[in-house]
C-alpha cells in the first residue's frame, strides 16, 4: 500500500478513536468549545486529506459532518441529540470506510446520499430560517477560519508532538523480547562468576547487571498504557444501550490514567466491556422502576481503577437492582449446577459466585447485548488466565459491584528456583510466605499421618504437598528437604521440595497450546545455563491437591469430595480421624490437637497404677481411648497429645488414620462416656470423642477445670448455635466454667428467648445459621434499646477478613474462630467485666 | 517432506517445515501425556516437542538409535516432532491419493490425512493438528 495512504489511515484512526467520546461529551456539555474544536479539526483533516488522496466517499461524508460542526461552532445551530446521532452515524460510516481501506487499499462501493442529505438537512433548516441573512457570505466567512485555526493549532500541536513519537507496536514487542533475552544472558553471566569473587569479570558484570535492570524497567514502562485506552468504546456502548432499552444511564469513569501493561490491557478489554454491558442491560432498572423505588431516574455505572498492593483493581459498580439471589438459585437448580439441599445451606456469597459457572445466565430472553450464557465465566477465565481474580458483591435494590484484581505485569517475575526430585522448577515469588528447611534436628516439626504430612509452624498446622509425588514422580524418603510455605486466598500450605537454590528474575514464556490442559503451569523459562524449566502455578496446584487429602488415595477420595462439596457447606472443621481397636472410627477436631507422637512400648512406665511416658522433661500421662488397650508388647503406640491449661496428656490410639475437612452432620443421640456425639465422616458413622472426659481421666485429682471466680457463677450466657456438634462441644465448656447457659438454635430462637424474659449478661453467637443469622441478630440486638448494651461475641468457623470486618461493623464486640476453649473463656470474662461498666455507663 | 518412524514412511508438506535439528536436551514435562516428549530450547525460544512414535502408539525407540527433530509451526506456536530419520523431499502431485482405510488402527486414522501410493510402499500424510489433541489420562488420575 502506498505509504501516504498508510500514514493517512493511522492518523485517521487516531483521530477517530477519541471522536466517539468527544461527541458524547459535547452532547452532555454543549457549551464546551474546546471539545467542539477538536471534533471539527478531526473531521476537517479527514475531509482534506481524504479529498487529496481521491477518496471521494470519505470526503463527501466528512464534508457534510464538518459543515454541521461548523454551524454548531458558529452558534448558528444548537447541539441536539438528533444532531449528535447523525454525526455519530457519519463517524461510523467513516470508520467503516477506513477499515475497508486498510484491508483492500480502496474505498468500498456504496453511497451515502441519505446520510449526507440528512446532515445537510440539519443545516438547511437553519439556513432556511435565516433566509434573509445571505447564506453564501456566511459560508465563505466560515472558510478562512479553519485555515487560520489550523495554523495556530499547528503550532500548538507541534510542540506537543515534539515530545512524543509514534512507534509501531511490533517494534516495541521486539524490544521487549530482546530485553528478555538480555536478562537471561545476564543471568548466565552472573551465574558464571558466582563464587569467584576475585574474578576480573566481576566488576563489568555487576555494571552490566545494573544496566540491564534499568533497561528492563524502562522498557517495561513503554508497555504501560493508561487503562483509559480500554475504556474508549464504553461511553458509546452505554449510550447505545440506553437508547435501545429506553433507560437513562450515565457512565462515570475514574482512574483512566492508571497505567497497566499492554498485554494485561488487551486481556481485560473484553471482560470489561462485558461487565459494563451486564450492568447496563441487567443491573439497571428503567426510569419508572427506579423512581418507584425512590432512586434517581438516571442509573449510573461507575468505572473505577486504582493501584493497590502491587495489583490493579478495577471496579464496575452500578446502582441498579442488585443480584436476585432467589433467581440465581433457581436458575442454578434448573441447570443442574446445584442440588436442592446445598442450595438451602449456601451462603449468599457462594450463591452469587454461581454466576461464574459456565452455562449460567438468568436473562429470560437472550438479548443481543448480553445474556447469551457465555458471559461471566468467560470473564473469570480471561482474568484468571493473566493471574487475576474476579469478585462480585451485591445488595438487593442498592446495586452490584464487580471487582477485578489483576497483576501489574506479566513478563518478568521474581521466582524461586527449586529442585524437585531430579528436576528443576520455578515457583513465582508472589504468594510465597516463608521457607523452612527440615533436617535431622527439627524433624519433629513434621507430623505424618499415613501418607499426608503437616508442618507445625508456630502454632499452626500447615498441610503439605509433596511436589515430587504430586507431579507423578517416584521419590525416596528424604531426610533433609525444604518446605516452601505459600499463601493463596487466605489458605496456607507448604510445598515439599528437595532444595531451594535461589531467587532469580525470569522471563515468563507462555505454555504451549498442547499443554494448556494440564493447567498447573504458569509458563516456562530458560535458565542461565540454557536449560528449559517449567514455572509452577502454585494456586492451581493447591486447588488440585484439595489440600487436606492424602495423595495416594486421591481417586476415591476425590470422588467423595466431589459428591460432598458442590454446595461447599459452611460448617466444616478439620478433623483428625483415628481408630481404637476394632471399634467404630473416631474423630477429634484438629484444632484441639496439640501434636501427634508415637511412643515405643519400652518408654511407657507404670507409676501408681497409671501409665506415663517421659516426654520433654516431664511425665506425660497416657490414657487409652475407650475400647483400646495400650499394648505393652513392643509395638509403637500412636498418641494424640492434648494440652489444656498448662497440662498435657496423651491419648493412646490404635492408629491415626487421616485428617479430613468434614462437615458436621452431627447426631447427638446416645451419649457414651467419652463420646460427644456421632457424625457422618466419609460416609461412616464416626464417634467424636469428648476430650474433657479423657482429660479428667488423666488428671483425676480434679482441680483441672478450675472453677472460675464467683464473677462467673452468676452470669448468664445466651449461646446461639445451630450445629448440634458445636452445641455439644461448647455448652459443657461454658457450664463447667460456671456460667448459666441459655441455648438457642438460631437467631430467631434467640430473640424468642429474649422476649420470653431471658436476661443474659452476654451473648455468644454463631454466624451461619438458618432463619436469622448472626449478622442479622446482632443488628436487631443493637437497634433494640433493651439489649443494645449486651456484649456480643461472634463464634464461628468463618475466618476470612471480610467476615470479621462485617461482624465488627454490624455490632459484634469481638470475633472468635472456633474453637479455642481457653481463649473463649478469657474473652467472655473480659467482656463481662467490661460489660458491667458499659451497662452502667449507658444506663446513665 | 518424508520421514521415517519405525519403518513406516510419513510425510508432511515441505513448506510447513522450518528446519531439521539433531537431538536436543529435552526438559520433561510432569503429567504430560505420553505423546509429548517435553520442551526444548531453540535459540532462546521454548518449543514443545512431540514424540511421534508414542503418539502413534508405537513401541519406543531402542536406546541407541538416533532420532531427529523436525521443527515446524508459526512464530508464536512452534513445535518439534521427533522422528527416527528424515528422507527426501518428494513431489506427490502425480501420485494416487486415497483417504485412510477404515481398517486402519484408530490412533493412526486420527493422525492420517490420507495415503499416497509410492513406487514401493505407501506414504502416510501426517495430520499435524492431530498432534495437539492428545487424551491426557495422567490428569484424570490426579484430579
Amino acid at each position: 500500500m502506498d505509504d501516504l495512504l498508510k500514514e493517512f489511515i493511522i492518523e485517521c484512526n487516531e483521530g477517530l478513536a477519541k471522536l466517539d467520546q468527544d461527541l458524547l461529551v459535547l452532547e452532555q456539555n454543549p457549551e464546551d468549545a474546546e471539545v467542539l474544536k477538536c471534533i471539527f479539526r478531526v473531521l476537517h483533516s479527514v475531509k482534506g486529506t481524504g479529498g487529496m488522496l481521491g477518496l471521494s466517499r470519505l470526503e463527501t461524508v466528512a464534508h457534510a459532518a464538518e459543515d454541521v460542526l461548523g454551524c454548531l461552532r458558529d452558534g448558528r445551530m444548537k447541539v441536539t441529540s438528533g444532531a449528535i446521532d447523525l454525526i455519530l452515524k457519519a463517524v461510523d460510516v467513516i470508520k467503516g470506510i477506513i477499515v475497508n481501506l486498510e484491508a483492500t487499499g480502496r474505498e468500498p462501493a456504496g453511497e451515502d446520499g441519505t446520510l449526507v442529505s440528512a446532515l445537510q438537512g440539519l443545516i438547511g433548516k437553519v439556513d432556511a430560517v435565516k433566509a434573509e441573512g445571505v447564506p453564501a457570505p456566511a459560508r465563505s466567512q466560515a472558510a478562512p477560519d479553519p485555515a487560520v485555526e489550523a495554523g495556530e493549532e499547528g503550532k500548538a500541536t507541534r510542540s506537543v508532538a515534539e515530545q512524543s513519537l509514534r512507534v509501531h507496536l511490533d517494534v516495541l514487542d521486539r524490544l521487549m523480547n530482546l530485553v528478555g533475552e538480555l536478562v537471561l544472558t545476564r543471568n548466565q553471566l552472573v551465574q558464571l562468576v558466582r563464587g569467584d569473587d576475585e574474578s576480573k569479570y566481576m566488576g563489568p558484570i555487576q555494571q552490566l547487571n545494573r544496566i540491564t535492570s534499568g533497561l528492563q524497567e524502562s522498557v517495561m514502562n513503554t508497555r504501560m498504557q493508561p487503562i483509559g485506552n480500554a475504556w474508549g468504546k464504553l461511553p458509546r456502548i452505554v449510550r447505545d444501550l440506553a437508547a435501545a432499552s429506553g433507560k437513562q444511564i450515565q457512565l462515570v469513569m475514574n482512574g483512566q490514567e492508571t497505567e497497566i501493561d499492554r498485554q494485561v490491557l488487551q486481556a481485560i478489554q473484553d471482560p470489561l466491556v462485558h461487565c459494563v454491558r451486564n450492568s447496563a442491560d441487567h443491573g439497571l432498572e428503567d426510569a419508572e422502576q427506579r423512581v418507584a423505588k425512590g432512586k434517581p431516574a438516571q442509573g449510573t455505572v461507575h468505572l473505577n481503577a486504582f493501584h493497590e498492593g502491587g495489583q490493579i483493581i478495577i471496579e464496575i459498580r452500578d446502582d441498579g437492582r442488585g443480584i436476585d439471589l432467589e433467581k440465581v438459585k433457581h436458575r442454578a437448580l434448573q441447570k443442574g449446577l446445584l442440588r436442592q439441599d446445598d442450595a438451602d445451606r449456601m451462603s449468599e456469597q457462594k450463591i452469587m459466585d454461581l454466576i461464574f459457572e459456565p452455562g449460567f445466565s438468568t436473562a429470560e430472553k437472550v438479548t443481543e447485548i448480553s445474556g447469551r450464557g457465555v458471559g461471566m465465566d468467560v470473564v473469570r477465565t480471561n482474568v484468571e488466565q493473566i493471574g487475576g481474580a474476579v469478585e462480585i458483591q451485591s445488595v438487593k435494590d442498592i446495586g452490584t459491584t464487580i471487582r477485578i484484581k489483576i497483576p501489574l505485569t506479566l513478563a518478568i517475575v521474581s521466582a524461586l528456583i527449586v529442585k524437585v526430585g531430579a528436576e528443576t522448577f520455578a515457583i513465582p515469588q508472589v504468594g510465597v510466605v516463608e521457607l523452612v528447611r527440615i533436617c535431622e534436628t527439627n524433624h519433629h516439626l513434621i507430623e505424618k499421618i499415613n501418607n499426608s504430612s503437616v508442618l507445625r509452624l508456630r502454632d499452626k498446622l500447615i498441610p503439605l504437598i509433596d511436589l515430587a509425588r504430586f507431579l507423578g514422580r517416584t521419590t525416596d524418603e528424604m531426610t533433609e528437604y525444604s518446605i516452601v510455605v505459600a499463601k493463596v486466598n487466605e489458605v496456607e500450605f507448604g510445598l515439599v521440595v528437595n532444595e531451594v537454590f535461589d531467587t532469580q528474575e525470569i522471563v515468563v514464556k507462555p505454555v504451549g497450546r498442547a499443554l494448556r490442559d494440564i493447567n498447573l503451569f504458569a509458563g516456562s523459562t530458560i535458565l542461565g545455563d540454557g536449560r528449559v524449566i517449567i514455572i509452577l502455578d502454585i494456586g492451581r496446584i493447591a486447588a488440585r491437591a484439595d489440600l487436606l487429602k492424602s495423595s495416594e488415595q486421591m481417586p476415591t477420595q476425590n470422588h467423595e469430595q466431589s459428591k460432598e462439596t458442590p454446595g461447599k457447606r459452611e460448617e466444616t472443621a478439620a478433623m483428625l480421624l483415628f481408630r481404637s481397636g476394632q471399634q467404630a472410627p473416631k474423630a477429634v477436631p484438629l484444632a484441639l490437637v496439640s501434636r501427634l507422637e508415637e511412643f515405643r512400648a519400652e518408654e511407657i512406665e507404670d507409676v501408681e497404677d497409671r501409665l506415663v511416658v517421659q516426654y520433654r522433661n516431664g511425665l506425660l500421662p497416657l490414657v487409652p481411648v475407650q475400647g483400646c488397650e495400650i499394648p505393652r508388647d513392643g509395638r509403637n503406640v500412636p498418641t494424640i497429645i492434648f494440652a489444656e491449661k498448662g497440662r498435657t496428656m496423651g491419648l493412646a490410639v490404635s492408629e491415626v488414620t487421616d485428617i479430613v475437612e468434614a462437615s458436621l452432620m452431627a447426631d447427638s443421640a446416645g451419649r457414651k462416656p467419652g463420646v460427644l456425639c456421632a457424625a457422618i465422616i466419609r460416609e461412616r458413622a464416626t464417634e467424636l470423642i469428648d476430650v474433657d472426659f479423657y482429660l479428667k481421666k488423666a488428671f483425676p485429682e480434679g482441680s483441672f477445670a478450675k472453677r472460675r471466680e464467683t464473677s462467673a457463677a452468676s452470669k448468664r450466657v445466651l449461646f446461639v448455635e445451630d450445629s448440634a456438634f458445636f452445641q455439644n462441644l461448647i455448652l459443657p465448656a461454658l457450664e463447667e466454667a460456671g456460667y448459666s447457659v441459655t441455648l438457642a438454635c438460631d437467631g430467631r430462637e434467640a430473640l424468642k428467648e429474649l422476649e420470653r424474659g431471658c436476661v443474659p449478661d452476654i451473648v455468644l453467637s454463631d454466624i451461619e445459621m438458618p432463619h436469622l443469622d448472626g449478622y442479622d441478630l446482632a443488628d436487631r440486638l443493637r437497634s433494640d434499646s433493651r439489649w443494645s448494651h449486651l456484649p456480643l461475641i461472634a463464634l464461628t468457623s468463618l475466618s476470612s477478613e471480610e467476615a470479621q470486618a462485617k461482624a465488627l461493623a454490624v455490632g459484634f464486640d469481638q470475633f472468635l474462630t472456633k474453637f479455642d476453649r481457653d481463649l473463649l473463656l478469657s474473652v467472655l470474662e473480659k467482656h463481662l467485666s467490661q460489660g458491667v461498666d458499659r451497662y452502667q455507663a449507658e444506663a446513665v | 517432506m518424508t520421514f521415517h518412524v519405525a519403518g513406516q514412511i510419513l510425510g508432511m508438506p515441505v513448506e510447513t517445515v522450518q528446519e531439521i535439528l539433531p537431538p536436543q536436551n529435552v526438559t520433561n514435562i510432569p503429567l504430560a501425556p505420553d505423546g509429548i516428549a517435553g520442551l526444548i530450547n531453540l535459540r532462546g525460544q521454548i518449543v514443545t516437542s512431540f514424540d511421534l512414535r508414542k503418539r502413534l502408539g508405537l513401541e519406543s525407540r531402542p536406546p541407541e538409535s538416533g532420532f531427529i527433530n523436525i521443527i515446524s509451526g508459526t512464530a508464536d506456536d512452534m513445535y518439534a516432532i521427533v522422528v527416527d530419520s528424515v528422507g527426501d523431499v518428494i513431489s506427490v502431485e502425480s501420485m494416487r491419493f486415497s483417504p485412510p482405510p477404515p481398517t486402519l488402527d484408530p490412533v493412526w486414522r486420527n493422525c492420517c490425512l490420507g495415503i499416497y501410493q509410492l513406487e514401493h510402499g505407501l506414504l502416510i500424510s501426517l495430520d499435524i493438528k492431530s498432534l495437539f489433541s492428545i487424551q491426557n489420562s495422567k490428569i484424570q488420575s490426579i484430579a
Side-chain angles (χ1 to χ4, degrees):
Chain A
M1 198 192 298
D2 194 29
D3 270 347
L4 210 56
L5 193 56
K6 266 197 242 180
E7 264 299 313
F8 173 62
I9 293 177
I10 295 180
E11 244 184 66
C12 276
N13 280 333
E14 263 182 24
L16 292 171
K18 274 194 76 226
L19 213 49
D20 271 352
Q21 236 169 322
D22 283 347
L23 280 163
L24 293 180
V25 169
L26 185 64
E27 192 180 18
Q28 300 289 334
N29 313 328
E31 312 308 308
D32 192 340
E34 273 308 310
V35 158
L36 212 152
K37 262 199 246 168
C38 281
I39 301 174
F40 185 92
R41 215 179 324 129
V42 172
L43 289 169
H44 181 80
S45 88
V46 169
K47 175 198 89 174
T49 322
M52 236 174 49
L53 292 170
L55 305 166
S56 53
R57 258 189 90 183
L58 213 49
E59 192 192 356
T60 322
V61 176
H63 190 135
E66 183 204 25
D67 281 344
V68 175
L69 259 299
C71 273
L72 292 173
R73 189 196 48 187
D74 296 341
R76 283 182 292 140
M77 203 176 109
K78 276 208 143 32
V79 174
T80 63
S81 283
I84 300 283
D85 267 341
L86 274 181
I87 303 178
L88 280 172
K89 274 217 195 79
V91 170
D92 282 341
V93 168
I94 295 176
K95 280 190 189 165
I97 299 178
I98 301 275
V99 163
N100 200 290
L101 210 52
E102 226 174 333
T104 63
R106 274 192 299 278
E107 278 185 316
E111 163 298 295
D112 314 294
T114 4
L115 178 59
V116 170
S117 338
L119 286 165
Q120 286 173 342
L122 281 175
I123 310 177
K125 274 190 247 166
V126 170
D127 284 353
V129 166
K130 297 194 178 169
E132 282 74 62
V134 186
R139 279 270 172 88
S140 57
Q141 258 173 36
D145 287 355
V148 173
E149 263 183 40
E152 277 172 13
E153 259 128 29
K155 271 189 260 156
T157 47
R158 215 181 300 133
S159 49
V160 168
E162 270 164 5
Q163 295 184 338
S164 61
L165 190 60
R166 206 188 288 144
V167 175
H168 202 287
L169 282 176
D170 281 353
V171 173
L172 275 185
D173 277 343
R174 189 143 183 282
L175 195 56
M176 190 68 213
N177 274 342
L178 286 172
V179 171
E181 302 294 324
L182 187 61
V183 166
L184 291 178
T185 313
R186 184 241 1 226
N187 290 352
Q188 222 170 331
L189 284 172
V190 166
Q191 193 148 347
L192 286 173
V193 283
R194 190 171 296 192
D196 188 10
D197 291 326
E198 300 302 312
S199 163
K200 57 185 181 203
Y201 299 109
M202 184 60 97
I205 288 186
Q206 284 186 337
Q207 178 81 324
L208 180 67
N209 198 357
R210 245 184 345 102
I211 298 175
T212 309
S213 298
L215 185 60
Q216 179 186 328
E217 212 185 292
S218 301
V219 172
M220 300 238 286
N221 272 339
T222 64
R223 287 164 54 113
M224 302 294 264
Q225 286 187 319
I227 200 174
N229 287 6
W231 292 354
K233 303 190 272 179
L234 292 173
R236 176 77 188 275
I237 292 178
V238 168
R239 184 183 187 275
D240 289 344
L241 269 174
S245 59
K247 300 184 199 174
Q248 294 177 23
I249 309 180
Q250 99 169 299
L251 179 66
V252 175
M253 303 193 286
N254 265 330
Q256 297 94 304
E257 59 294 338
T258 311
E259 294 203 327
I260 63 174
D261 183 279
R262 195 182 124 247
Q263 215 174 328
V264 173
L265 191 73
Q266 283 181 335
I268 56 154
Q269 189 137 8
D270 284 340
L272 274 182
V273 171
H274 186 86
C275 289
V276 170
R277 278 201 162 139
N278 254 353
S279 282
D281 200 22
H282 296 306
L284 292 175
E285 317 94 324
D286 63 37
E288 258 180 54
Q289 294 170 327
R290 288 179 68 85
V291 168
K293 288 186 191 169
K295 296 200 234 184
Q298 189 182 55
T300 313
V301 177
H302 278 273
L303 260 185
N304 203 3
F306 51 93
H307 285 280
E308 194 181 75
Q311 290 190 312
I312 305 245
I313 317 284
I314 305 173
E315 277 183 353
I316 302 131
R317 190 161 42 98
D318 70 64
D319 59 355
R321 55 169 73 96
I323 295 184
D324 186 336
L325 292 175
E326 285 309 312
K327 248 194 186 176
V328 170
K329 253 201 264 188
H330 186 72
R331 183 56 65 117
L333 284 168
Q334 250 186 355
K335 302 237 167 176
L337 296 168
L338 194 58
R339 293 194 320 221
Q340 183 61 50
D341 49 347
D342 295 323
D344 295 332
R345 293 160 158 272
M346 266 181 141
S347 72
E348 278 187 11
Q349 190 59 50
K350 291 270 160 45
I351 296 179
M352 265 194 277
D353 284 345
L354 283 172
I355 293 177
F356 292 111
E357 294 294 318
F360 186 95
S361 167
T362 53
E364 263 90 46
K365 43 186 183 58
V366 171
T367 63
E368 184 196 272
I369 306 163
S370 50
R372 225 170 281 124
V374 290
M376 291 312 276
D377 69 306
V378 173
V379 169
R380 173 174 272 187
T381 318
N382 282 5
V383 170
E384 286 184 349
Q385 252 180 5
I386 53 169
V390 194
E391 290 168 0
I392 187 163
Q393 278 173 342
S394 172
V395 181
K396 190 152 190 238
D397 287 333
I398 305 285
T400 310
T401 305
I402 301 177
R403 252 179 157 234
I404 300 181
K405 293 188 193 161
I406 42 187
L408 271 176
T409 180
L410 305 177
I412 301 185
V413 298
S414 247
L416 287 173
I417 311 295
V418 302
K419 180 167 175 201
V420 176
E423 295 164 285
T424 311
F425 292 96
I427 297 179
Q429 197 143 41
V430 69
V432 172
V433 170
E434 204 173 325
L435 296 179
V436 177
R437 178 96 190 139
I438 302 290
C439 49
E440 276 134 27
T441 52
N442 58 4
H443 257 271
H444 61 269
L445 289 175
I446 308 288
E447 317 277 5
K448 208 155 149 49
I449 301 118
N450 271 356
N451 287 309
S452 48
S453 305
V454 276
L455 167 70
R456 176 163 283 280
L457 186 68
R458 294 187 300 270
D459 299 337
K460 289 182 284 190
L461 280 183
I462 299 188
L464 296 179
I465 301 174
D466 184 332
L467 267 182
R469 195 176 292 138
F470 185 84
L471 295 173
R473 310 302 196 214
T474 52
T475 57
D476 322 306
E477 277 300 309
M478 298 184 280
T479 46
E480 277 201 11
Y481 48 92
S482 292
I483 298 180
V484 177
V485 181
K487 187 164 170 174
V488 170
N489 287 342
E490 307 301 320
V491 177
E492 281 194 337
F493 57 95
L495 299 164
V496 176
V497 302
N498 288 56
E499 199 182 326
V500 175
F501 289 125
D502 62 351
T503 307
Q504 280 186 28
E505 299 250 306
I506 54 173
V507 180
V508 177
K509 307 241 179 191
V511 155
R513 211 185 344 152
L515 301 172
R516 249 173 234 157
D517 286 337
I518 303 183
N519 215 21
L520 293 172
F521 310 137
S524 51
T525 186
I526 301 183
L527 286 184
D529 54 12
R531 279 182 299 161
V532 175
I533 64 169
I534 291 180
I535 306 170
L536 301 173
D537 184 334
I538 54 179
R540 298 224 179 101
I541 289 179
R544 188 75 72 78
D546 236 4
L547 290 181
L548 295 170
K549 296 282 187 180
S550 137
S551 50
E552 279 208 350
Q553 299 171 331
M554 279 285 191
T556 48
Q557 278 184 13
N558 272 293
H559 172 63
E560 285 170 24
Q561 181 77 341
S562 56
K563 280 199 309 192
E564 270 178 31
T565 58
K568 298 244 179 66
R569 305 191 172 152
E570 291 317 311
E571 291 279 28
T572 64
M575 306 291 282
L576 180 70
L577 294 182
F578 57 95
R579 256 193 327 106
S580 71
Q582 298 307 319
Q583 305 203 341
K586 297 192 167 40
V588 68
L590 192 60
L592 299 178
V593 174
S594 186
R595 59 174 39 79
L596 298 174
E597 296 284 355
E598 207 166 276
F599 297 114
R600 294 193 315 276
E602 42 288 10
E603 296 178 283
I604 304 176
E605 302 175 52
D606 215 315
V607 171
E608 291 173 13
D609 281 340
R610 288 196 322 186
L611 294 172
V612 293
V613 164
Q614 283 200 27
Y615 184 67
R616 305 222 174 143
N617 302 324
L619 285 181
L620 178 78
L622 269 191
V623 177
V625 174
Q626 290 288 78
C628 174
E629 284 288 316
I630 299 187
R632 313 299 305 281
D633 60 355
R635 277 179 291 163
N636 286 352
V637 181
T639 308
I640 305 176
I641 314 275
F642 296 106
E644 191 124 341
K645 297 193 177 69
R647 309 223 195 189
T648 329
M649 67 155 282
L651 183 69
V653 304
S654 302
E655 186 191 357
V656 175
T657 349
D658 207 344
I659 296 181
V660 293
E661 185 79 25
S663 87
L664 304 167
M665 290 200 289
D667 152 33
S668 56
R671 290 234 205 156
K672 268 165 48 180
V675 175
L676 270 186
C677 60
I680 310 291
I681 296 181
R682 292 226 206 125
E683 297 181 352
R684 292 198 61 188
T686 307
E687 291 177 339
L688 265 59
I689 61 163
D690 182 354
V691 178
D692 245 6
F693 172 80
Y694 290 101
L695 283 169
K696 288 209 182 73
K697 268 202 164 185
F699 301 102
E701 54 272 11
S703 82
F704 185 66
K706 231 187 320 181
R707 289 266 139 197
R708 301 251 157 187
E709 276 86 58
T710 43
S711 60
S714 52
K715 298 287 184 190
R716 176 164 290 275
V717 177
L718 176 59
F719 178 38
V720 194
E721 168 66 62
D722 63 320
S723 151
F725 171 77
F726 284 111
Q727 286 176 1
N728 286 324
L729 192 60
I730 297 172
L731 194 63
L734 293 173
E735 287 183 330
E736 210 169 61
Y739 294 101
S740 320
V741 181
T742 304
L743 177 64
C745 61
D746 60 43
R748 203 169 60 181
E749 288 302 310
L751 286 174
K752 282 203 199 139
E753 289 289 338
L754 289 169
E755 293 287 353
R756 270 190 227 133
C758 165
V759 185
D761 298 289
I762 188 168
V763 178
L764 179 65
S765 173
D766 185 20
I767 300 280
E768 302 278 326
M769 297 182 291
H771 302 132
L772 196 72
D773 72 11
Y775 297 126
D776 288 331
L777 177 63
D779 201 35
R780 297 281 197 94
L781 293 177
R782 288 294 178 224
S783 45
D784 190 320
S785 55
R786 291 176 286 174
W787 303 308
S788 55
H789 64 280
L790 288 174
L792 287 182
I793 312 287
L795 184 67
T796 170
S797 38
L798 298 172
S799 61
S800 69
E801 285 170 17
E802 291 99 68
Q804 290 200 30
K806 191 170 177 198
L808 295 172
V810 122
F812 280 102
D813 291 294
Q814 190 155 348
F815 184 98
L816 290 177
T817 36
K818 292 169 174 162
F819 169 51
D820 182 330
R821 168 206 266 251
D822 285 343
L823 182 60
L824 171 62
L825 293 176
S826 65
V827 164
L828 284 176
E829 223 180 282
K830 179 177 97 172
H831 282 275
L832 279 169
S833 49
Q834 281 178 0
V836 172
D837 301 330
R838 189 211 291 183
Y839 185 38
Q840 288 178 341
E842 284 202 15
V844 167
Chain B
M1 155 117 205
T2 62
F3 45 93
H4 305 259
V5 166
Q8 177 62 50
I9 310 179
L10 295 102
M12 56 197 269
V14 69
E15 315 79 66
T16 62
V17 175
Q18 176 150 319
E19 64 188 277
I20 310 289
L21 275 190
Q24 302 278 312
N25 272 334
V26 180
T27 300
N28 199 304
I29 304 170
L31 304 177
D34 277 331
I36 298 187
L39 298 172
I40 58 180
N41 174 359
L42 182 67
R43 294 186 298 275
Q45 193 170 357
I46 299 183
V47 170
T48 313
S49 175
F50 295 89
D51 186 328
L52 198 53
R53 273 198 180 221
K54 295 232 176 76
R55 177 68 185 93
L56 294 174
L58 299 165
E59 60 192 25
S60 291
R61 193 165 298 111
E64 275 68 54
S65 70
F67 59 94
I68 261 197
N69 295 302
I70 299 180
I71 311 292
S72 176
T74 60
D76 290 327
D77 197 14
M78 237 193 272
Y79 49 87
I81 310 173
V82 177
V83 301
D84 292 355
S85 60
V86 170
D88 296 325
V89 176
I90 59 179
S91 165
V92 291
E93 278 166 10
S94 53
M95 294 189 202
R96 250 214 344 198
F97 179 80
S98 1
T103 49
L104 197 57
D105 180 284
V107 173
W108 281 81
R109 215 170 336 127
N110 278 336
C111 305
C112 169
L113 284 173
I115 303 194
Y116 289 101
Q117 284 188 357
L118 303 172
E119 265 179 44
H120 315 280
L122 299 173
L123 171 71
I124 298 188
S125 175
L126 180 67
D127 182 357
I128 308 291
K129 291 205 206 53
S130 69
L131 288 175
F132 298 108
S133 57
I134 305 179
Q135 280 304 342
N136 198 341
S137 56
K138 286 203 193 139
I139 305 183
Q140 261 63 304
S141 63
I142 291 281

